[in-house]
Each structure stands twice: as C-alpha cells, then as structure tokens.
Amino acid sequence: MYESEITSFIKQLKAEQPKLERQQQLGRALLWDKKPLDLEQRASETHARVKQTSYVYYQTF
C-alpha cells in the first residue's frame, strides 16, 4: 500500500514525540475552544455598555 512522504513523516514525528498530539489539543483549547455563553450576563454587559458618539474625535466635556 502506498504511503506518501508526508504521512510517513507525521508517523515518525508522532513516534519520536508522543506528547505532541496532546500539546496540539491543549493549544487548540487555549486559542479556539470557548466556554458556552451565559445569556443573562451577556445581556447585562450589553445593557451596561456606553454608546459611542457618532464622531469619536470630538467630545464635549
């Protein structure tokens, strides 16, 4: 059965570094996997937000 060079490289890499796959999963969880949103907290944060003026560089104090 044919096996490409890339497939054999990945198999060899995983054999040499058994922790590699777990590190990839942890990295993904850190950057991409998010906790479910709390809708009540989200509504509270949206309500508490200060509306931005139409022209942000001109402010009246």
Side-chain angles (χ1 to χ4, degrees):
M1 189 167 149
Y2 173 74
E3 186 175 285
S4 70
E5 292 180 17
I6 294 175
T7 303
S8 60
F9 170 74
I10 291 174
K11 285 182 179 180
Q12 179 185 359
L13 184 64
K14 286 183 179 182
E16 291 173 0
Q17 300 179 9
K19 296 181 181 180
L20 181 66
E21 196 164 344
R22 180 66 182 148
Q23 290 173 341
Q24 288 177 328
Q25 292 172 351
L26 290 174
R28 176 199 159 105
L30 178 67
L31 297 175
W32 296 104
D33 297 342
K34 305 294 180 189
K35 296 179 183 176
L37 294 174
D38 181 11
L39 297 179
E40 292 177 3
Q41 182 180 0
R42 176 97 186 244
S44 174
E45 291 171 355
T46 303
H47 181 70
R49 186 172 289 161
V50 177
K51 187 174 179 181
Q52 185 175 0
T53 60
S54 58
Y55 188 69
V56 296
Y57 299 108
Y58 177 73
Q59 296 178 355
T60 57
F61 293 100

